[in-house]
Amino acid sequence: MAPALVDYAAAEKELYEFDDLKIGVKGLVDAGVTHIPRFFIHPPECRANNSSTPQNNGADGVEIPVIDLEGFNDNDDRRVKMVNAMRYACATWGFFQIVNHGVPVAVMEEMVESIRRFHEQPQEAKMEWYSRDFSRTVNYYSSGDIKGRAQPVPAEWKDTLSCRAADDQWNFDALPELCRHEMKEYMKNVIDLQEKLSELMSEALGLSKDHLSSTGYLKSIKLSGHYYPACPEPDLTLGTIKHSDPSLLTLVLQDKSNGLQVLHNDQWVDVPKVDGAFVANIGDFMQLLSNDKFMSVEHRVLATPLGRPRISAVSFFLPCAKDRIKPCGPIKELLSDNSPPIYRITSYEEFMRHYRVVGQIGGRALPHFKL
C-alpha cells in the first residue's frame, strides 16, 4: 500500500526533535527501524522510481565522459586530447570521471575506510562532534543542511563529517583522530590533482593554463565524508536530493557502491564506479564565471538498499576566504561582441546567500543572476 501524503509542517518538528538526539541516520538503523520516519519520505515525483523522469544505466551508449591524465606533463598530442576531452565534458555534461590522475589507490582506499571508521564508532564517541555551527573546523551532522535551507523537510538519508580550513589554512590536528592521518595525506594529493584540473579547465576555456589558479578561485576546500546507511525503504527517500553544487569544482571519491546519478538531457544517468577513478563536476559559480561555456548540472544520490552502506569523500573547491566578498562576474577574456555577458556582477558571498534559499531545496540559483 502506498504511504499517505506527508504533513511536512508537522514532520518538520519531528525532524528537529530527531536532530536534537544527535544519533544520526545510522543511529536509527542501529535501533532496528523497519519503516523510515515520515520526515524522510519524499514526494512521489522526487523519488527514484518516478516515471516522469526516465533513468538510463548506460545500456544505449549514454555514458559519463572519462578523462585520462596519463602523460599530463607531456607537450604532445595527449595533452591536446586531454584539453579537448575536458572542453567536451564541461560543456556538454558538466560531469566526468578521471583516471590515471596520480593519486595512489592506497591513499584513496584509506580515505574511504577512515570515513567508515568515524561513522561506525560508538555513538557516544561521535556526539562531541555533532554540531550545525558551520563556523567550526569540523562538524558531524545528519540528514543534510536542514537548518540552512528554506524547507528542511523532507530530509536526506545520510550522515556527514564535514571539515574545512580556517582562512584556507588546514589545521589537521583539529580533525578527529580516527581519520586525521588519512585526511591529511588525501588532501595533499587532492590539491595536486586540483592543480592539474585547473590547468586543463583554463586551457579548455582558451585561457592561459595558470589563469584559474592565479585568481584564487579554487584555493579553498571543504571536505565532506558522507555515510549513507542501508535504508529499509529506499524507494521512499533519497540519500541526497536533486541539486547542483554552488562550488566551482567538486571532486568525488566513491566506494564500490552505486547510487550517484546525473541529470543529462532530462534523464537520470547512473555514474558507474570505475576502479581508481575520481568523479568531477562543474559547480554553479564556475558556470557563471565561464559565461555558460561550462555547465553545472543537477545530480542526486539514491538511498542505499539493504546491505553495505555507501561512503563517499566530496571535495568542494571554492574561492579563497578573502576573495568571497570581491565583486566578480564572467571572465572578461571570454567576453566579446559575439559573446556578451550572461550574468551580472556579483560576489561568491552574495551568490551563496541566494543559493541557501533556493539551491538546497532542489531549485537553481543561477537564473537570479542573469542579466
Side-chain angles (χ1 to χ4, degrees), residues 179-223:
C179 45
R180 184 181 302 159
H181 171 74
E182 291 80 4
M183 284 188 170
K184 183 177 182 179
E185 289 303 307
Y186 180 77
M187 289 308 301
K188 287 193 301 185
N189 281 274
V190 163
I191 289 170
D192 288 343
L193 175 55
Q194 178 271 125
E195 291 172 354
K196 293 179 181 179
L197 297 177
S198 179
E199 284 191 21
L200 293 178
M201 291 164 64
S202 294
E203 292 183 64
L205 288 169
L207 305 169
S208 61
K209 69 179 184 179
D210 64 347
H211 184 93
L212 290 174
S213 61
S214 66
T215 61
Y217 287 143
L218 298 162
K219 275 293 184 184
S220 186
I221 308 173
K222 174 188 170 186
L223 176 64

Side-chain angles (χ1 to χ4, degrees), residues 12 23-25 39 42 48 77 94 121-122 125 154 180 183 201 220 232 236 241 246 314 319 326 342 347:
E12 183 174 332
I23 64 171
V25 175
F39 49 79
H42 287 244
D77 289 344
Q121 67 181 311
R180 184 181 302 159
M183 284 188 170
M201 291 164 64
S220 186
L236 298 182
I241 62 170
V314 184
K326 287 184 178 180
I342 296 170
S347 67

Side-chain angles (χ1 to χ4, degrees), residues 50-271:
N50 173 35
S51 60
S52 65
T53 305
Q55 299 193 51
N56 188 299
N57 61 9
D60 61 358
V62 179
E63 296 181 347
I64 306 294
V66 177
I67 299 177
D68 189 344
L69 298 189
E70 182 71 35
F72 174 81
N73 292 315
D74 297 341
N75 293 315
D76 58 14
D77 289 344
R78 281 183 293 186
R79 176 75 175 212
V80 174
K81 289 179 179 178
M82 286 180 211
V83 172
N84 289 339
M86 179 67 76
R87 184 181 301 111
Y88 169 78
C90 294
T92 61
W93 277 84
F95 254 76
F96 51 96
Q97 303 226 46
I98 314 158
V99 297
N100 294 318
H101 41 66
V103 181
V105 171
V107 170
M108 300 168 72
E109 291 177 345
E110 289 165 8
M111 180 63 183
V112 169
E113 286 307 307
S114 74
I115 295 171
R116 184 190 306 278
R117 278 199 305 276
F118 176 87
H119 287 285
E120 294 183 354
Q121 67 181 311
Q123 188 61 49
E124 56 273 15
K126 291 185 289 186
M127 279 188 172
E128 66 172 295
W129 300 100
Y130 202 99
S131 171
R132 294 189 183 274
D133 176 5
F134 293 108
S135 66
R136 294 174 47 163
T137 301
V138 180
N139 299 83
Y140 157 56
Y141 59 98
S142 177
S143 313
D145 186 10
I146 61 172
K147 294 185 178 179
R149 64 189 189 216
Q151 298 173 6
V153 176
E156 299 171 321
W157 190 264
K158 70 180 176 188
D159 296 334
T160 299
L161 173 65
S162 177
C163 308
R164 64 191 53 77
D167 295 325
D168 305 324
Q169 298 297 315
W170 280 92
N171 176 14
F172 290 106
D173 290 338
L175 303 183
E177 187 174 0
L178 271 179
C179 45
R180 184 181 302 159
H181 171 74
E182 291 80 4
M183 284 188 170
K184 183 177 182 179
E185 289 303 307
Y186 180 77
M187 289 308 301
K188 287 193 301 185
N189 281 274
V190 163
I191 289 170
D192 288 343
L193 175 55
Q194 178 271 125
E195 291 172 354
K196 293 179 181 179
L197 297 177
S198 179
E199 284 191 21
L200 293 178
M201 291 164 64
S202 294
E203 292 183 64
L205 288 169
L207 305 169
S208 61
K209 69 179 184 179
D210 64 347
H211 184 93
L212 290 174
S213 61
S214 66
T215 61
Y217 287 143
L218 298 162
K219 275 293 184 184
S220 186
I221 308 173
K222 174 188 170 186
L223 176 64
S224 293
H226 295 312
Y227 185 96
Y228 300 86
C231 181
E233 297 179 297
D235 291 339
L236 298 182
T237 189
L238 289 169
T240 301
I241 62 170
K242 181 183 76 170
H243 70 289
S244 58
D245 292 343
S247 58
L248 282 87
L249 177 69
T250 304
L251 279 179
V252 182
L253 169 62
Q254 306 186 88
D255 67 359
K256 297 185 183 300
S257 306
N258 293 319
L260 177 60
Q261 294 184 323
V262 55
L263 190 61
H264 179 71
N265 291 337
D266 296 322
Q267 64 178 352
W268 287 110
V269 179
D270 292 328
V271 180

Side-chain angles (χ1 to χ4, degrees), residues 94-96 194 201 212 216-224 226 243-252 279-290 294-297 299 314-320 324 328 347-349 351-356 359-360 364-366:
F95 254 76
F96 51 96
Q194 178 271 125
M201 291 164 64
L212 290 174
Y217 287 143
L218 298 162
K219 275 293 184 184
S220 186
I221 308 173
K222 174 188 170 186
L223 176 64
S224 293
H226 295 312
H243 70 289
S244 58
D245 292 343
S247 58
L248 282 87
L249 177 69
T250 304
L251 279 179
V252 182
V279 178
N281 64 275
I282 298 299
D284 287 349
F285 210 66
M286 180 63 80
Q287 179 171 334
L288 185 151
L289 293 174
S290 72
F294 287 174
M295 305 304 293
S296 172
V297 297
H299 49 286
V314 184
S315 304
F316 301 95
F317 292 89
L318 320 166
C320 57
R324 291 175 198 167
C328 60
S347 67
Y348 188 75
E349 187 176 80
F351 181 84
M352 281 303 303
R353 283 199 300 269
H354 187 68
Y355 179 87
R356 290 188 184 101
Q360 297 190 85
R364 296 300 303 267
L366 279 170

